[in-house]
Amino acid sequence: MDFEDYVKKDSQYHIDTYTRLPVLLIKGKGCTLWDINGKSYLDFLSGIGVTSVGHCHPTVVNAVKSQMEQLVHVSNLFYTIPQIKLAEKLVSISFGDKCFFANSGAEANEGAVKLARKYSKTFRGEDKYEIITAYRSFHGRTMKMLAASGQPEKQKPFEPMPIGFKHVPLNDFKALKGAITDKTGAVMLEPIQGEGGVYPCNLKYLQDVRRFCDEKGFLLILDEVQTGIGRTGRMFAYEHFGIEPDIISLAKGLGGGLPIGAIIAKDEVAKAFEPGDHGSTFGGGPVACTAALAALKIIEDEELVENSEKMGEIILEKLQKMSKKIPIKEIRGKGLMIGIELEQEMAKEVVSKCLNDGLIVNNIGSKIIRLLPPLCITKDEVNMAMKILEKALTN
């Protein structure tokens, strides 16, 4: 079967919810992917921030193989060593005291919101259920996380939405204070909005929000599904702001390519959950936890958080030079999470041109290009990608 045959089968058997690019990928190694015809692509998307340590890193592959031969799945009615070790590791490198494991970012965010509601109802009053989030935010595609996301155009086809969320403009502290009601229980923000267009929180804004939450007794949830695990040049993006949240959600880069999500919370918050309040059949399975432990070891051993910061600075410098001769409106982001807002509506065309020249990048809407390369990207690979991107933006 060739490319066209597979596309026909996909069209025949798969529910059509994705806008596919015309490539069928069959192999990956490091920062490179290969399609069915043998063409190679430099991957500056990493499965939307998932393959943090590169494709098929041998340490992850060997760890998963070994775990698959030993224990694949048991229910969370039993203890497993990989889950205990991963929880211990995440607590040791973060602000938190306790973890809960899920399968995805949306599921982790669902758990974070449930925990915040249970905490607020238990310790602050039965009616403290409302969560304030930001416009342009994206917290997942389940019904409740769609309601949490500040993107009305994504909600409209599925209305009515679950209640309990209010949205305010990002980086507008006055608006956030104005949205507080006697039902407010928590504020939920992405330190850098990913799917919304790579918009970072301002330093003072997030510090003010933290201080305000402390004064009022609200919880601060940070959605670090995309920004966490080294993506922004710190292990967690909250470290850029000199604050600590009460709860964070993780996923994407945590599993080194395997699906896993997590909540990390302070002990005083985590204790709101009691047995039976929350659960997951597959969450925190031995194989996914083993992959995450291997990925975290690689990130530390190969100093990939530092590499994320360093390569991100090189990319930003090159884009700044590029912007003097190409109509770029704004460059945003930190580390290896970068958004390029164009003056013209040509983002899809740029993605297509880059793909033709062997570079995978992502567009958000018609004007924004998003770069999320693996954390192990090298300087030579950055140079190669920037040449292809500049050509696509110029011609």
Side-chain angles (χ1 to χ4, degrees):
M1 287 177 61
D2 60 15
F3 172 73
E4 284 75 18
D5 294 328
Y6 280 112
V7 170
K8 282 181 185 174
K9 274 190 177 292
D10 182 83
S11 176
Q12 184 176 356
Y13 295 116
H14 194 269
I15 295 175
D16 188 15
T17 63
Y18 300 110
T19 305
R20 308 271 202 196
L21 293 166
V23 175
L24 196 163
L25 296 168
I26 61 166
K27 189 173 75 173
K29 185 175 179 59
C31 301
T32 303
L33 289 161
W34 285 266
D35 71 14
I36 193 170
N37 298 315
K39 180 178 176 178
S40 66
Y41 301 83
L42 186 53
D43 185 7
F44 261 56
L45 184 57
S46 64
I48 314 184
V50 169
T51 51
S52 52
V53 296
H55 295 277
C56 303
H57 194 293
T59 301
V60 174
V61 172
N62 290 332
V64 168
K65 278 183 180 176
S66 177
Q67 185 60 49
M68 286 288 288
E69 291 170 351
Q70 193 168 349
L71 182 67
V72 175
H73 176 79
V74 292
S75 80
N76 279 304
L77 297 175
F78 299 92
Y79 299 102
T80 67
I81 293 171
Q83 188 179 105
I84 293 168
K85 284 186 173 178
L86 182 58
E88 180 184 29
K89 181 64 183 175
L90 288 174
V91 165
S92 74
I93 61 175
S94 74
F95 72 98
D97 304 302
K98 294 281 176 61
C99 291
F100 174 86
F101 294 110
N103 300 293
S104 67
E107 197 184 325
N109 282 331
E110 286 269 355
V113 167
K114 279 183 70 177
L115 178 58
R117 280 197 178 182
K118 180 79 187 301
Y119 173 88
S120 298
K121 281 173 171 276
T122 303
F123 298 108
R124 295 191 56 243
E126 186 65 25
D127 60 344
K128 308 294 184 188
Y129 63 86
E130 207 164 66
I131 312 281
I132 297 177
T133 75
Y135 284 118
R136 284 191 314 234
S137 64
F138 183 77
H139 300 293
R141 295 184 187 277
T142 61
M143 283 300 289
K144 191 193 283 184
M145 287 307 101
L146 203 54
S149 300
Q151 299 195 42
E153 70 281 4
K154 284 188 167 63
Q155 297 171 352
K156 197 162 183 59
F158 308 101
E159 289 175 341
M161 287 287 107
I163 64 166
F165 298 97
K166 292 184 74 172
H167 303 102
V168 295
L170 187 70
N171 292 325
D172 186 339
F173 184 54
K174 188 177 176 183
L176 187 142
K177 286 202 296 183
I180 298 299
T181 71
D182 57 4
K183 295 181 174 58
T184 304
V187 176
M188 183 177 185
L189 297 169
E190 297 160 279
I192 303 174
Q193 293 182 335
E195 195 71 21
V198 193
Y199 291 94
C201 286
N202 293 338
L203 176 66
K204 186 174 184 307
Y205 173 75
L206 197 48
Q207 290 177 341
D208 285 346
V209 173
R210 172 70 278 181
R211 188 165 45 249
F212 185 63
C213 286
D214 287 339
E215 290 170 2
K216 299 294 184 183
F218 306 147
L219 294 181
L220 176 59
I221 307 168
L222 292 185
D223 177 345
E224 293 235 29
V225 167
Q226 192 166 136
T227 57
I229 314 297
R231 173 57 54 190
T232 70
R234 299 287 186 275
M235 184 58 83
F236 305 101
Y238 70 78
E239 297 173 41
H240 290 288
F241 299 87
I243 62 148
E244 288 187 353
D246 299 300
I247 307 171
I248 62 171
S249 53
L250 299 171
K252 292 190 181 293
L254 177 59
L258 268 72
I260 184 169
I263 303 165
I264 304 177
K266 292 180 178 175
D267 194 40
E268 65 190 69
V269 178
K271 68 183 180 184
F273 266 170
E274 299 171 297
D277 278 342
H278 196 50
S280 172
T281 298
F282 292 102
V287 177
C289 286
T290 295
L293 281 164
L296 288 167
K297 186 175 189 311
I298 294 161
I299 287 169
E300 289 185 341
D301 290 352
E302 299 183 11
E303 299 182 344
L304 296 188
V305 178
E306 294 81 357
N307 192 62
S308 173
E309 181 180 29
K310 186 177 174 184
M311 292 301 110
E313 287 173 356
I314 292 172
I315 292 172
L316 287 175
E317 185 181 336
K318 287 181 177 295
L319 290 173
Q320 291 293 352
K321 287 181 181 175
M322 223 182 278
S323 70
K324 294 176 181 173
K325 49 187 176 181
I326 294 170
I328 293 175
K329 183 178 180 182
E330 189 175 28
I331 302 161
R332 301 184 289 267
K334 290 181 182 296
L336 291 174
M337 182 176 179
I338 296 170
I340 308 158
E341 183 164 351
L342 308 174
E343 293 279 2
Q344 300 171 4
E345 295 185 350
M346 55 185 284
K348 286 184 181 178
E349 186 182 347
V350 170
V351 168
S352 180
K353 286 180 177 177
C354 285
L355 196 65
N356 286 336
D357 286 341
L359 174 66
I360 295 175
V361 296
N362 171 235
N363 69 287
I364 299 173
S366 59
K367 285 190 171 181
I368 299 171
I369 302 291
R370 178 171 51 170
L371 307 181
L372 295 168
L375 307 184
C376 57
I377 198 82
T378 66
K379 189 174 179 181
D380 286 345
E381 289 167 330
V382 165
N383 289 336
M384 191 188 310
M386 291 302 103
K387 283 181 183 174
I388 296 172
L389 181 61
E390 182 170 1
K391 179 185 169 191
L393 287 165
T394 305
N395 297 324

